[in-house]
């Protein structure tokens, strides 16, 4: 597969279907439970917890907002996103996924245009709210803005005319996957072995860096202390 097509396919896959491997983080960087990684239209809601979403339809919660960094091989490419999937007491879900880039790690701030599709690039986000009866309400336009202070996230979703549709806040969890060689090579000589998930495309296999043993993953976690 050509390199450009590979990156496009990975972006689409990351936002359209759940990852089978489990990514473990420094839970909220201060002890919050880690969540399994899933994304986009098929993302399952997390259990209720410390992150809170307030909308005109009700209140939702989840253990944390998730920042995910997916490192590819050579040449180095990093796919990054921020996501939240929160649940209400009646079983409803409110969720978003925003694609970000390296600038976000330094600025701790991002604004994205909301689109109805799940194929995301930096500056784009998907927001929807699946209901217990199987229906789903998705925003097809508007903006999503968030800021990270320490390991806490605060943000809001606005319609195109500027009305606030939802606000959210809570702890941030960092998740990271890398090529298997990064864990077994010189970058992480003491890292524990990890199972290698199968992949139909040569060069796209990644494994969770559960111990944040690689410098790349460790630097991501350190950025959000």
């Amino acid at each position: 597969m050509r390199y450009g097509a590979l990156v496009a396919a990975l972006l689409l896959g990351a936002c359209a279907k759940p990852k089978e491997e489990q990514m473990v983080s420094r839970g909220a960087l201060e002890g919050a439970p880690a969540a399994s990684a899933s994304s986009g239209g098929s993302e399952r809601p997390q259990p209720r917890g410390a992150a809170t979403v307030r909308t005109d339809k009700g209140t939702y919660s989840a253990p944390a907002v998730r920042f995910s960094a997916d490192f590819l091989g050579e040449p180095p490419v990093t796919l990054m996103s921020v996501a939240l999937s929160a649940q209400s007491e009646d079983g409803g879900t409110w969720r978003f996924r925003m694609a970000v880039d390296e600038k976000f790690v330094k600025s701790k701030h991002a604004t994205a245009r909301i689109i109805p599709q799940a194929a995301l690039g930096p500056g784009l986000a998907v927001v929807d709210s699946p209901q217990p009866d199987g229906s789903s309400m998705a925003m097809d336009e508007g903006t999503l803005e968030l800021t990270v202070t320490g390991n806490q996230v605060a943000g809001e979703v606005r319609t195109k005319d500027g009305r606030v549709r939802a606000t959210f806040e809570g702890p941030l969890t960092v998740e990271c996957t890398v090529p298997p060689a990064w864990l077994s090579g010189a970058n992480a000589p003491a890292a524990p072995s990890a199972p290698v998930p199968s992949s139909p495309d040569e060069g796209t296999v990644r494994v969770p860096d559960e111990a944040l043993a690689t410098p790349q993953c460790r630097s991501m976690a350190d950025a959000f202390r």
Side-chain angles (χ1 to χ4, degrees):
M1 179 180 290
R2 296 180 60 187
Y3 180 70
L6 170 62
V7 173
L10 288 168
L11 276 170
L12 179 60
C15 300
K17 63 182 179 180
K19 295 179 182 176
E20 294 181 357
E21 66 265 30
Q22 175 141 3
M23 297 186 204
V24 180
S25 67
R26 292 179 184 176
L29 300 183
E30 290 191 2
S36 63
S38 57
S39 58
S42 57
E43 184 170 1
R44 296 186 298 273
Q46 301 179 66
R48 292 172 60 77
T52 302
V53 181
R54 295 179 176 85
T55 75
D56 55 358
K57 302 297 183 181
T59 301
Y60 305 77
S61 70
V65 182
R66 302 195 310 274
F67 170 81
S68 299
D70 189 9
F71 288 93
L72 309 186
E74 298 297 336
V77 175
T78 312
L79 305 181
M80 302 181 190
S81 64
V82 182
L84 173 63
S85 183
Q87 192 171 16
S88 62
E89 292 184 352
D90 65 3
T93 302
W94 187 94
R95 61 192 182 184
F96 77 80
R97 187 174 185 88
M98 169 195 284
V100 296
D101 56 22
E102 290 82 355
K103 295 178 182 178
F104 173 72
V105 179
K106 295 182 178 180
S107 69
K108 311 297 192 299
H109 178 83
T111 300
R113 178 169 61 90
I114 295 170
I115 60 173
Q117 300 90 355
L120 301 180
L124 299 176
V126 172
V127 178
D128 68 349
S129 182
Q131 301 302 304
D133 62 5
S135 63
S136 182
M137 296 179 291
M139 289 187 66
D140 56 7
E141 60 182 9
T143 59
L144 189 157
E145 184 173 6
L146 62 83
T147 300
V148 182
T149 303
N151 71 335
Q152 296 293 312
V153 182
E156 63 182 21
V157 171
R158 291 180 175 270
T159 59
K160 188 176 181 179
D161 62 9
R163 291 182 293 111
V164 176
R165 284 285 300 274
T167 61
F168 55 90
E169 60 184 356
L172 183 72
T173 294
V174 175
E175 302 171 343
C176 190
T177 58
V178 300
W182 290 18
L183 283 180
S184 59
N187 282 343
S193 59
V196 179
S198 60
S199 171
D201 301 315
E202 183 179 356
T204 65
V205 174
R206 279 95 63 213
V207 294
D209 181 358
E210 299 179 354
L212 301 174
T214 58
Q216 294 86 351
C217 292
R218 190 163 56 249
S219 67
M220 290 293 174
D222 289 345
F224 296 104
R225 286 182 178 275

